[in-house]
Amino acid sequence: MKMSQLHRTQKDGDDSDSDEDDEDAVDENAVLEYRSIPHFGGVNRVRARPLAPGAGLPPPSEPYHVATWADTGKVHIWDVRPLVESLSTPGYSVDKKRTQHPVYTITAHGRAEGFAMDWSHSSPSSSSPVRLLTGDIASKIYLTTLGTAGFNTANQAFASHTSSVEDIQWSPSEQTVFASCSADRSVRIWDVRVKGRKNVLGIMKSHESDVNVITWNKGTTYLLASGGDEGGIKIWDLRNLKGASTPAPSPVASFSWHTAPITSIEWHPTEDSVFAASGADDQVTLWDLSVEQDEDESGTKEMLTASGEKLQNVPPQLLFVHQGQKDIKEVHWHPQIPGCVVSTASDGFNIFKTISV
């Protein structure tokens, strides 16, 4: 997809503080262009292979991979580079042989569908192969690697979870380490070099219910955030983990603002203390862990809804609440526009940027 003609949202009614000559204050419809791929079965999740920092897309003649988790139990890997090129180059002729069929399909999960999926990170100085992790509702995680002969999926699964694997994240600093979370209420840390495919560290009973999502801090790499089915958000210091199945340490921070399951969570790409989260309560929230409440200001923070209703018991770390969408599934920071957030819901996409971040 390609979005263009994005402008500032106009405020309703008269605003005495607004500048009538503000050239950005225009009412124009945004433009959304897209290209589609025929897909067998519903798509549970889609993930694009991350680019190295500062690197652009490869030339149109080279592949750029996107993976889709299908409700059929298969994970398909596609070459979408020609489709991306057609969005930016008028008249570009797409080679349908490259785009209409997957370049590789992971069948190791059998009939068990899933949602957890993550590509390994790229860097110009790294010699590590491209890796893709996929986790299913049958508690299994499989590793797929891109080699000179193409993609290949290992036969042996990573198997320590006892229920559905909900999310996976590669470590931003260690090429062979990843984290996973599950409906078994645990967060587990793995190393692909360990024989036996068992986790090396774990946080048992990390939430009161299913652990839906996790995010690994790219700057402060010992911090990992998790979101649970009970609506809680917890921040973990991985230096406090002692073993594969030891009791859960206390989180360094915990928030219970959301009133329904957390559906997505992601650290800011450059601000180590800032993260965004979304919930089934139709809220997207922005947080900053560096904010501390002064004793003199205890209980004085106010936040209003779009209708003017005052929100009660607002945590000082809560910077912003975005509402108006229904059934929010994912929230991500824009990689090129600082502070810009994109959220996906059943009623469309929202793109917004606040003064808070």
Side-chain angles (χ1 to χ4, degrees):
M1 294 187 296
K2 178 182 179 181
M3 301 177 185
S4 58
Q5 288 189 205
L6 304 181
H7 303 281
R8 292 176 57 182
T9 303
Q10 291 298 289
K11 298 179 180 179
D12 295 331
D14 296 331
D15 186 352
S16 58
D17 295 331
S18 63
D19 185 357
E20 295 180 358
D21 297 328
D22 189 351
E23 295 181 356
D24 291 332
V26 292
D27 275 320
E28 291 188 25
N29 292 327
V31 175
L32 174 63
E33 301 172 79
Y34 68 91
R35 301 291 184 266
S36 60
I37 297 172
H39 193 279
F40 184 76
V43 179
N44 291 347
R45 185 160 289 175
V46 57
R47 288 288 182 267
R49 178 180 163 187
L51 299 170
L57 286 167
S61 58
E62 297 181 12
Y64 177 60
H65 297 120
V66 168
T68 57
W69 234 129
D71 62 6
T72 59
K74 295 180 173 60
V75 179
H76 303 292
I77 299 176
W78 311 82
D79 177 11
V80 301
R81 185 62 183 91
L83 299 176
V84 177
E85 187 67 18
S86 70
L87 286 170
S88 57
T89 304
Y92 182 84
S93 179
V94 175
D95 182 0
K96 292 186 177 181
K97 292 181 180 180
R98 287 179 60 184
T99 61
Q100 298 299 297
H101 301 282
V103 297
Y104 183 76
T105 296
I106 302 170
T107 59
H109 296 277
R111 293 182 178 273
E113 62 178 311
F115 297 86
M117 180 166 57
D118 196 36
W119 290 95
S120 59
H121 301 280
S122 301
S123 67
S125 59
S126 174
S127 59
S128 177
V130 173
R131 296 185 173 110
L132 176 68
L133 288 165
T134 51
D136 60 41
I137 61 174
S139 76
K140 300 297 190 295
I141 300 172
Y142 285 92
L143 174 65
T144 299
T145 304
L146 176 60
T148 55
F151 287 98
N152 180 66
T153 302
N155 293 326
Q156 186 179 8
F158 297 90
S160 290
H161 283 297
T162 58
S163 188
S164 173
V165 180
E166 299 296 297
D167 201 7
I168 295 174
Q169 288 266 290
W170 283 100
S171 166
S173 59
E174 299 179 74
Q175 296 175 354
T176 61
V177 175
F178 69 93
S180 63
C181 65
S182 168
D184 63 12
R185 300 167 56 193
S186 72
V187 175
R188 300 175 189 259
I189 309 298
W190 314 69
D191 192 322
V192 299
R193 298 169 298 182
V194 173
K195 295 181 180 180
R197 298 297 207 217
K198 299 294 183 181
N199 64 292
V200 294
L201 296 171
I203 309 173
M204 305 298 107
K205 299 181 181 180
S206 58
H207 282 260
E208 299 171 12
S209 186
D210 303 6
V211 188
N212 295 334
V213 287
I214 52 175
T215 178
W216 207 318
N217 196 304
K218 292 179 174 61
T220 307
T221 56
Y222 56 79
L223 290 181
L224 185 139
S226 60
D229 217 43
E230 80 286 355
I233 296 172
K234 297 184 179 182
I235 313 299
W236 306 94
D237 186 335
L238 299 180
R239 298 173 298 181
N240 295 333
L241 304 189
K242 303 302 181 184
S245 58
T246 55
S250 298
V252 296
S254 181
F255 305 102
S256 56
W257 173 262
H258 285 273
T259 58
I262 303 299
T263 58
S264 184
I265 190 168
E266 185 173 272
W267 290 103
H268 190 284
T270 57
E271 299 289 340
D272 293 2
S273 63
V274 176
F275 68 89
S278 66
D281 55 0
D282 299 334
Q283 295 185 76
V284 174
T285 52
L286 305 186
W287 303 77
D288 188 348
L289 299 180
S290 68
V291 177
E292 296 182 1
Q293 181 170 295
D294 293 334
E295 294 182 3
D296 297 339
E297 299 178 353
S298 179
T300 62
K301 181 172 181 177
E302 293 185 357
M303 188 175 289
L304 303 178
T305 66
S307 61
E309 179 184 356
K310 182 186 292 187
L311 300 175
Q312 303 294 327
N313 302 318
V314 179
Q317 295 83 8
L318 180 56
L319 300 179
F320 186 79
V321 177
H322 176 72
Q323 296 176 309
Q325 289 181 285
K326 298 295 183 183
D327 195 22
I328 303 169
K329 292 301 183 184
E330 293 199 46
V331 57
H332 296 285
W333 297 94
H334 195 289
Q336 284 90 32
I337 305 175
C340 182
V341 178
V342 182
S343 56
T344 306
S346 62
D347 56 357
F349 302 94
N350 275 193
I351 305 170
F352 61 94
K353 188 176 186 297
T354 78
I355 61 172
S356 303
V357 180

